[in-house]
Amino acid sequence: METAFRITETSRKILLGFLEKYSIEELYKIPEGFSNNLIWNIGHIIVVQQLLVYKLSGLPTMVSNEMIEKFQKGTKPEHNVTQQEVDEIKVLLFSTLEKTKQDFEENVFQNYIEFTSMSGFTMKSATNAIEFNNYHEALHTGIMMQIRKFIKL
């Protein structure tokens, strides 16, 4: 699992780079032909990791219900983000990862509700979810790399 966590950490550093490079207006801009924006993708990545790993393990998430409602699958950007929200997301990028690593090492993940993703991958454990999450983060990072081409600095 060390490699899976290192991959996630690398992914999160890339996401942090987006948060540090772009203004709030740029993070919130939805380019023509896209259904979401940079900040939605980052919030979505954090929320989905929490739902896949923690909620399906029957454990509380480290994100608020309000954040889940804004960024879970099937949502779209419907509000302007504030600097406070951007700052919270920056913290959650790494605090959620560190807590997941710690909980994994402490063998906290004992139960899991089997779940099949839209791509057809079935997760039967938190370990599967942690590994699959890297694929999910990469998909959204790719979308963000496309979006940034349409964001003017």
Side-chain angles (χ1 to χ4, degrees):
M1 287 303 292
E2 180 184 333
T3 300
F5 286 124
R6 281 193 4 246
I7 292 167
T8 307
E9 185 175 357
T10 300
S11 171
R12 300 296 175 95
K13 287 177 182 175
I14 291 168
L15 298 175
L16 178 62
F18 280 92
L19 292 173
E20 292 178 339
K21 181 175 183 178
Y22 296 100
S23 69
I24 290 177
E25 293 78 21
E26 291 165 330
L27 290 170
Y28 191 69
K29 181 178 180 181
I30 302 173
E32 188 175 328
F34 290 85
S35 60
N36 52 49
N37 53 31
L38 295 174
I39 196 68
W40 182 89
N41 277 280
I42 297 171
H44 176 73
I45 284 169
I46 292 167
V47 164
V48 167
Q49 184 268 348
Q50 289 291 291
L51 296 176
L52 288 176
V53 178
Y54 282 87
K55 186 168 182 142
L56 290 173
S57 293
L59 299 169
T61 64
M62 292 174 265
V63 296
S64 67
N65 287 335
E66 179 185 45
M67 187 170 181
I68 291 170
E69 289 171 12
K70 286 180 185 177
F71 297 108
Q72 69 185 336
K73 178 184 165 231
T75 63
K76 59 184 179 179
E78 294 182 342
H79 74 289
N80 289 325
V81 294
T82 64
Q83 186 60 53
Q84 181 180 352
E85 287 175 298
V86 172
D87 293 343
E88 178 186 10
I89 287 171
K90 280 182 185 179
V91 169
L92 287 169
L93 276 174
F94 296 98
S95 63
T96 53
L97 174 58
E98 289 307 313
K99 177 77 167 126
T100 303
K101 283 197 272 190
Q102 177 185 352
D103 287 347
F104 185 81
E105 290 168 8
E106 293 175 2
N107 208 23
V108 169
F109 304 107
Q110 294 295 312
N111 302 307
Y112 197 80
I113 300 167
E114 188 173 302
F115 176 76
T116 301
S117 72
M118 287 180 56
S119 62
F121 183 79
T122 300
M123 290 158 263
K124 297 183 179 196
S125 67
T127 299
N128 291 164
I130 292 165
E131 293 168 338
F132 175 81
N133 183 66
N134 285 326
Y135 166 78
H136 179 260
E137 290 197 18
L139 283 175
H140 284 277
T141 302
I143 292 167
M144 292 171 63
M145 289 178 175
Q146 291 176 326
I147 289 173
R148 73 178 177 188
K149 293 176 184 177
F150 300 96
I151 306 261
K152 294 184 181 174
L153 291 175

